Amino acid sequence: MTEQQKASLRILLESALTKTSDDKQTLAALFYQRLFIVAPGVRPLFSNKLSLQEAKFTQMLESLLTSLDRLDHLVPVLWESGRSHKHYGAEDAHYPVVGEALLWALEQKLGSECLTDEVQLAWQELYSLISLIMQEAAKTA
Ligand code: HEM
């Protein structure tokens, strides 16, 4: 991932996490609403209260933001998370669906003009990397 891509992602995530809109919907809330519409089958996998899950999701994006310059530090965390996800019931086929819902939520929150081709490509690269690590780890769980 290039420095330019990291810079774009930093702006994207910072804005998405801090921007408040009139309807007060957080990025996390938008993400789960979308996920459960496009993939209702995954809803029963989530046993936590949704507000708690949304808080964990936000924390995860915040650590991504602070670790963009040293993504290698995240590998052990993502590996463990991938193994846990196997136990939650996450399957390989769910990862692209989650990625789409996340992109959709970012677009709702920030407006499509913020998601230029360049930013989308950088985001997809980051998401693919994370998914790959988690999916590889899941095979060992
Ligand atoms: C890159 C992709 C993903 C990331 C970064 C991510 C992140 C997280 C985080 C941070 C948590 C909180 C607990 C933990 O770390 O284990 C979590 C929990 C969870 N995730 Fe994911 N996740 C991803 C993909 C998925 C996918 C594809 C599914 C499949 C439906 C999924 C389903 C779940 C479930 C069921 C829980 C537990 C919720 C509960 O116990 O109520 N996640 N995820």
Side-chain angles (χ1 to χ4, degrees), residues 85-107:
H85 274 73
K86 170 88 176 185
H87 299 297
Y88 300 152
E91 295 165 13
D92 282 355
H94 293 142
Y95 280 83
V97 182
V98 163
E100 288 298 318
L102 198 39
L103 195 61
W104 181 90
L106 285 167
E107 191 170 342

PDB file of all heavy atoms in Angstrom, residues 85-107:
ATOM      1  N   HIS A  85     -13.516 -15.730  14.656  1.00  0.00           N
ATOM      2  CA  HIS A  85     -14.624 -15.634  13.701  1.00  0.00           C
ATOM      3  C   HIS A  85     -15.075 -16.991  13.187  1.00  0.00           C
ATOM      4  O   HIS A  85     -16.243 -17.185  12.868  1.00  0.00           O
ATOM      5  CB  HIS A  85     -14.264 -14.691  12.548  1.00  0.00           C
ATOM      6  CG  HIS A  85     -14.548 -13.264  12.866  1.00  0.00           C
ATOM      7  ND1 HIS A  85     -13.783 -12.534  13.747  1.00  0.00           N
ATOM      8  CD2 HIS A  85     -15.541 -12.427  12.455  1.00  0.00           C
ATOM      9  CE1 HIS A  85     -14.295 -11.321  13.862  1.00  0.00           C
ATOM     10  NE2 HIS A  85     -15.355 -11.235  13.078  1.00  0.00           N
ATOM     11  N   LYS A  86     -14.155 -17.916  13.090  1.00  0.00           N
ATOM     12  CA  LYS A  86     -14.528 -19.277  12.679  1.00  0.00           C
ATOM     13  C   LYS A  86     -15.543 -19.829  13.690  1.00  0.00           C
ATOM     14  O   LYS A  86     -16.560 -20.412  13.329  1.00  0.00           O
ATOM     15  CB  LYS A  86     -13.253 -20.135  12.648  1.00  0.00           C
ATOM     16  CG  LYS A  86     -13.484 -21.598  12.480  1.00  0.00           C
ATOM     17  CD  LYS A  86     -13.551 -21.958  11.032  1.00  0.00           C
ATOM     18  CE  LYS A  86     -13.697 -23.472  10.921  1.00  0.00           C
ATOM     19  NZ  LYS A  86     -13.649 -23.927   9.569  1.00  0.00           N
ATOM     20  N   HIS A  87     -15.274 -19.558  14.978  1.00  0.00           N
ATOM     21  CA  HIS A  87     -16.180 -20.054  16.023  1.00  0.00           C
ATOM     22  C   HIS A  87     -17.506 -19.293  16.041  1.00  0.00           C
ATOM     23  O   HIS A  87     -18.529 -19.839  16.411  1.00  0.00           O
ATOM     24  CB  HIS A  87     -15.507 -20.012  17.396  1.00  0.00           C
ATOM     25  CG  HIS A  87     -14.283 -20.878  17.458  1.00  0.00           C
ATOM     26  ND1 HIS A  87     -14.342 -22.249  17.298  1.00  0.00           N
ATOM     27  CD2 HIS A  87     -12.973 -20.585  17.600  1.00  0.00           C
ATOM     28  CE1 HIS A  87     -13.117 -22.749  17.369  1.00  0.00           C
ATOM     29  NE2 HIS A  87     -12.265 -21.760  17.536  1.00  0.00           N
ATOM     30  N   TYR A  88     -17.451 -18.030  15.624  1.00  0.00           N
ATOM     31  CA  TYR A  88     -18.710 -17.266  15.541  1.00  0.00           C
ATOM     32  C   TYR A  88     -19.602 -17.799  14.412  1.00  0.00           C
ATOM     33  O   TYR A  88     -20.780 -17.503  14.358  1.00  0.00           O
ATOM     34  CB  TYR A  88     -18.461 -15.780  15.229  1.00  0.00           C
ATOM     35  CG  TYR A  88     -17.620 -15.015  16.227  1.00  0.00           C
ATOM     36  CD1 TYR A  88     -16.870 -13.911  15.798  1.00  0.00           C
ATOM     37  CD2 TYR A  88     -17.587 -15.357  17.567  1.00  0.00           C
ATOM     38  CE1 TYR A  88     -16.105 -13.182  16.692  1.00  0.00           C
ATOM     39  CE2 TYR A  88     -16.804 -14.625  18.457  1.00  0.00           C
ATOM     40  CZ  TYR A  88     -16.061 -13.548  18.018  1.00  0.00           C
ATOM     41  OH  TYR A  88     -15.306 -12.827  18.892  1.00  0.00           O
ATOM     42  N   GLY A  89     -18.987 -18.536  13.478  1.00  0.00           N
ATOM     43  CA  GLY A  89     -19.764 -19.055  12.343  1.00  0.00           C
ATOM     44  C   GLY A  89     -19.535 -18.284  11.052  1.00  0.00           C
ATOM     45  O   GLY A  89     -20.252 -18.488  10.072  1.00  0.00           O
ATOM     46  N   ALA A  90     -18.529 -17.381  11.030  1.00  0.00           N
ATOM     47  CA  ALA A  90     -18.239 -16.623   9.802  1.00  0.00           C
ATOM     48  C   ALA A  90     -17.619 -17.570   8.764  1.00  0.00           C
ATOM     49  O   ALA A  90     -16.761 -18.380   9.105  1.00  0.00           O
ATOM     50  CB  ALA A  90     -17.286 -15.477  10.103  1.00  0.00           C
ATOM     51  N   GLU A  91     -18.095 -17.464   7.540  1.00  0.00           N
ATOM     52  CA  GLU A  91     -17.568 -18.293   6.452  1.00  0.00           C
ATOM     53  C   GLU A  91     -16.877 -17.404   5.427  1.00  0.00           C
ATOM     54  O   GLU A  91     -17.146 -16.203   5.351  1.00  0.00           O
ATOM     55  CB  GLU A  91     -18.729 -19.038   5.772  1.00  0.00           C
ATOM     56  CG  GLU A  91     -19.388 -20.035   6.713  1.00  0.00           C
ATOM     57  CD  GLU A  91     -20.732 -20.511   6.193  1.00  0.00           C
ATOM     58  OE1 GLU A  91     -21.047 -20.271   5.000  1.00  0.00           O
ATOM     59  OE2 GLU A  91     -21.471 -21.108   6.995  1.00  0.00           O
ATOM     60  N   ASP A  92     -16.038 -18.022   4.576  1.00  0.00           N
ATOM     61  CA  ASP A  92     -15.314 -17.251   3.551  1.00  0.00           C
ATOM     62  C   ASP A  92     -16.263 -16.377   2.726  1.00  0.00           C
ATOM     63  O   ASP A  92     -15.967 -15.215   2.449  1.00  0.00           O
ATOM     64  CB  ASP A  92     -14.555 -18.194   2.606  1.00  0.00           C
ATOM     65  CG  ASP A  92     -13.270 -18.706   3.239  1.00  0.00           C
ATOM     66  OD1 ASP A  92     -12.943 -18.254   4.366  1.00  0.00           O
ATOM     67  OD2 ASP A  92     -12.605 -19.560   2.629  1.00  0.00           O
ATOM     68  N   ALA A  93     -17.399 -16.946   2.352  1.00  0.00           N
ATOM     69  CA  ALA A  93     -18.333 -16.236   1.475  1.00  0.00           C
ATOM     70  C   ALA A  93     -18.921 -14.987   2.134  1.00  0.00           C
ATOM     71  O   ALA A  93     -19.434 -14.095   1.449  1.00  0.00           O
ATOM     72  CB  ALA A  93     -19.462 -17.176   1.052  1.00  0.00           C
ATOM     73  N   HIS A  94     -18.858 -14.924   3.476  1.00  0.00           N
ATOM     74  CA  HIS A  94     -19.416 -13.749   4.162  1.00  0.00           C
ATOM     75  C   HIS A  94     -18.508 -12.517   4.046  1.00  0.00           C
ATOM     76  O   HIS A  94     -18.971 -11.387   4.173  1.00  0.00           O
ATOM     77  CB  HIS A  94     -19.597 -14.037   5.660  1.00  0.00           C
ATOM     78  CG  HIS A  94     -20.647 -15.058   5.966  1.00  0.00           C
ATOM     79  ND1 HIS A  94     -20.519 -15.990   6.971  1.00  0.00           N
ATOM     80  CD2 HIS A  94     -21.854 -15.309   5.381  1.00  0.00           C
ATOM     81  CE1 HIS A  94     -21.593 -16.750   7.016  1.00  0.00           C
ATOM     82  NE2 HIS A  94     -22.418 -16.363   6.063  1.00  0.00           N
ATOM     83  N   TYR A  95     -17.214 -12.760   3.851  1.00  0.00           N
ATOM     84  CA  TYR A  95     -16.271 -11.631   3.889  1.00  0.00           C
ATOM     85  C   TYR A  95     -16.550 -10.557   2.821  1.00  0.00           C
ATOM     86  O   TYR A  95     -16.570  -9.366   3.158  1.00  0.00           O
ATOM     87  CB  TYR A  95     -14.821 -12.137   3.849  1.00  0.00           C
ATOM     88  CG  TYR A  95     -14.353 -12.609   5.212  1.00  0.00           C
ATOM     89  CD1 TYR A  95     -14.647 -13.887   5.667  1.00  0.00           C
ATOM     90  CD2 TYR A  95     -13.655 -11.758   6.068  1.00  0.00           C
ATOM     91  CE1 TYR A  95     -14.250 -14.324   6.934  1.00  0.00           C
ATOM     92  CE2 TYR A  95     -13.257 -12.174   7.329  1.00  0.00           C
ATOM     93  CZ  TYR A  95     -13.553 -13.461   7.760  1.00  0.00           C
ATOM     94  OH  TYR A  95     -13.173 -13.872   9.018  1.00  0.00           O
ATOM     95  N   PRO A  96     -16.776 -10.960   1.557  1.00  0.00           N
ATOM     96  CA  PRO A  96     -17.094  -9.906   0.568  1.00  0.00           C
ATOM     97  C   PRO A  96     -18.394  -9.164   0.899  1.00  0.00           C
ATOM     98  O   PRO A  96     -18.500  -7.964   0.654  1.00  0.00           O
ATOM     99  CB  PRO A  96     -17.252 -10.673  -0.761  1.00  0.00           C
ATOM    100  CG  PRO A  96     -16.703 -12.023  -0.522  1.00  0.00           C
ATOM    101  CD  PRO A  96     -16.671 -12.279   0.951  1.00  0.00           C
ATOM    102  N   VAL A  97     -19.350  -9.879   1.504  1.00  0.00           N
ATOM    103  CA  VAL A  97     -20.636  -9.256   1.838  1.00  0.00           C
ATOM    104  C   VAL A  97     -20.430  -8.195   2.925  1.00  0.00           C
ATOM    105  O   VAL A  97     -20.971  -7.086   2.859  1.00  0.00           O
ATOM    106  CB  VAL A  97     -21.644 -10.339   2.336  1.00  0.00           C
ATOM    107  CG1 VAL A  97     -22.986  -9.729   2.625  1.00  0.00           C
ATOM    108  CG2 VAL A  97     -21.755 -11.469   1.327  1.00  0.00           C
ATOM    109  N   VAL A  98     -19.612  -8.559   3.921  1.00  0.00           N
ATOM    110  CA  VAL A  98     -19.283  -7.604   4.991  1.00  0.00           C
ATOM    111  C   VAL A  98     -18.537  -6.401   4.395  1.00  0.00           C
ATOM    112  O   VAL A  98     -18.818  -5.252   4.729  1.00  0.00           O
ATOM    113  CB  VAL A  98     -18.441  -8.313   6.092  1.00  0.00           C
ATOM    114  CG1 VAL A  98     -17.742  -7.311   6.998  1.00  0.00           C
ATOM    115  CG2 VAL A  98     -19.334  -9.231   6.909  1.00  0.00           C
ATOM    116  N   GLY A  99     -17.615  -6.678   3.466  1.00  0.00           N
ATOM    117  CA  GLY A  99     -16.858  -5.606   2.814  1.00  0.00           C
ATOM    118  C   GLY A  99     -17.767  -4.648   2.062  1.00  0.00           C
ATOM    119  O   GLY A  99     -17.615  -3.429   2.149  1.00  0.00           O
ATOM    120  N   GLU A 100     -18.756  -5.201   1.355  1.00  0.00           N
ATOM    121  CA  GLU A 100     -19.709  -4.365   0.607  1.00  0.00           C
ATOM    122  C   GLU A 100     -20.533  -3.496   1.556  1.00  0.00           C
ATOM    123  O   GLU A 100     -20.765  -2.316   1.289  1.00  0.00           O
ATOM    124  CB  GLU A 100     -20.674  -5.244  -0.207  1.00  0.00           C
ATOM    125  CG  GLU A 100     -20.049  -5.920  -1.421  1.00  0.00           C
ATOM    126  CD  GLU A 100     -19.537  -4.919  -2.448  1.00  0.00           C
ATOM    127  OE1 GLU A 100     -20.247  -3.936  -2.697  1.00  0.00           O
ATOM    128  OE2 GLU A 100     -18.417  -5.111  -2.946  1.00  0.00           O
ATOM    129  N   ALA A 101     -20.983  -4.106   2.665  1.00  0.00           N
ATOM    130  CA  ALA A 101     -21.818  -3.369   3.623  1.00  0.00           C
ATOM    131  C   ALA A 101     -21.012  -2.220   4.242  1.00  0.00           C
ATOM    132  O   ALA A 101     -21.541  -1.126   4.477  1.00  0.00           O
ATOM    133  CB  ALA A 101     -22.335  -4.307   4.711  1.00  0.00           C
ATOM    134  N   LEU A 102     -19.751  -2.477   4.459  1.00  0.00           N
ATOM    135  CA  LEU A 102     -18.882  -1.454   5.037  1.00  0.00           C
ATOM    136  C   LEU A 102     -18.672  -0.291   4.059  1.00  0.00           C
ATOM    137  O   LEU A 102     -18.756   0.884   4.433  1.00  0.00           O
ATOM    138  CB  LEU A 102     -17.549  -2.124   5.389  1.00  0.00           C
ATOM    139  CG  LEU A 102     -16.596  -1.460   6.364  1.00  0.00           C
ATOM    140  CD1 LEU A 102     -17.335  -0.810   7.516  1.00  0.00           C
ATOM    141  CD2 LEU A 102     -15.603  -2.490   6.886  1.00  0.00           C
ATOM    142  N   LEU A 103     -18.451  -0.633   2.818  1.00  0.00           N
ATOM    143  CA  LEU A 103     -18.275   0.392   1.794  1.00  0.00           C
ATOM    144  C   LEU A 103     -19.557   1.212   1.642  1.00  0.00           C
ATOM    145  O   LEU A 103     -19.535   2.437   1.512  1.00  0.00           O
ATOM    146  CB  LEU A 103     -17.894  -0.282   0.466  1.00  0.00           C
ATOM    147  CG  LEU A 103     -17.332   0.620  -0.613  1.00  0.00           C
ATOM    148  CD1 LEU A 103     -16.047   1.297  -0.165  1.00  0.00           C
ATOM    149  CD2 LEU A 103     -17.055  -0.193  -1.897  1.00  0.00           C
ATOM    150  N   TRP A 104     -20.676   0.526   1.679  1.00  0.00           N
ATOM    151  CA  TRP A 104     -21.981   1.192   1.582  1.00  0.00           C
ATOM    152  C   TRP A 104     -22.158   2.184   2.738  1.00  0.00           C
ATOM    153  O   TRP A 104     -22.580   3.322   2.549  1.00  0.00           O
ATOM    154  CB  TRP A 104     -23.097   0.134   1.584  1.00  0.00           C
ATOM    155  CG  TRP A 104     -24.470   0.711   1.456  1.00  0.00           C
ATOM    156  CD1 TRP A 104     -25.160   0.951   0.300  1.00  0.00           C
ATOM    157  CD2 TRP A 104     -25.333   1.134   2.531  1.00  0.00           C
ATOM    158  NE1 TRP A 104     -26.397   1.497   0.588  1.00  0.00           N
ATOM    159  CE2 TRP A 104     -26.519   1.623   1.940  1.00  0.00           C
ATOM    160  CE3 TRP A 104     -25.215   1.152   3.916  1.00  0.00           C
ATOM    161  CZ2 TRP A 104     -27.579   2.106   2.692  1.00  0.00           C
ATOM    162  CZ3 TRP A 104     -26.274   1.650   4.673  1.00  0.00           C
ATOM    163  CH2 TRP A 104     -27.443   2.123   4.060  1.00  0.00           C
ATOM    164  N   ALA A 105     -21.797   1.722   3.954  1.00  0.00           N
ATOM    165  CA  ALA A 105     -21.945   2.578   5.140  1.00  0.00           C
ATOM    166  C   ALA A 105     -21.044   3.809   5.028  1.00  0.00           C
ATOM    167  O   ALA A 105     -21.451   4.920   5.361  1.00  0.00           O
ATOM    168  CB  ALA A 105     -21.624   1.779   6.406  1.00  0.00           C
ATOM    169  N   LEU A 106     -19.833   3.606   4.521  1.00  0.00           N
ATOM    170  CA  LEU A 106     -18.912   4.744   4.339  1.00  0.00           C
ATOM    171  C   LEU A 106     -19.500   5.741   3.360  1.00  0.00           C
ATOM    172  O   LEU A 106     -19.434   6.954   3.557  1.00  0.00           O
ATOM    173  CB  LEU A 106     -17.552   4.246   3.821  1.00  0.00           C
ATOM    174  CG  LEU A 106     -16.644   3.547   4.835  1.00  0.00           C
ATOM    175  CD1 LEU A 106     -15.489   2.836   4.127  1.00  0.00           C
ATOM    176  CD2 LEU A 106     -16.091   4.550   5.852  1.00  0.00           C
ATOM    177  N   GLU A 107     -20.096   5.219   2.317  1.00  0.00           N
ATOM    178  CA  GLU A 107     -20.683   6.090   1.291  1.00  0.00           C
ATOM    179  C   GLU A 107     -21.870   6.879   1.844  1.00  0.00           C
ATOM    180  O   GLU A 107     -22.026   8.069   1.570  1.00  0.00           O
ATOM    181  CB  GLU A 107     -21.110   5.245   0.085  1.00  0.00           C
ATOM    182  CG  GLU A 107     -21.473   6.079  -1.106  1.00  0.00           C
ATOM    183  CD  GLU A 107     -21.655   5.258  -2.371  1.00  0.00           C
ATOM    184  OE1 GLU A 107     -21.186   4.101  -2.414  1.00  0.00           O
ATOM    185  OE2 GLU A 107     -22.281   5.774  -3.299  1.00  0.00           O
TER     186      GLU A 107
END
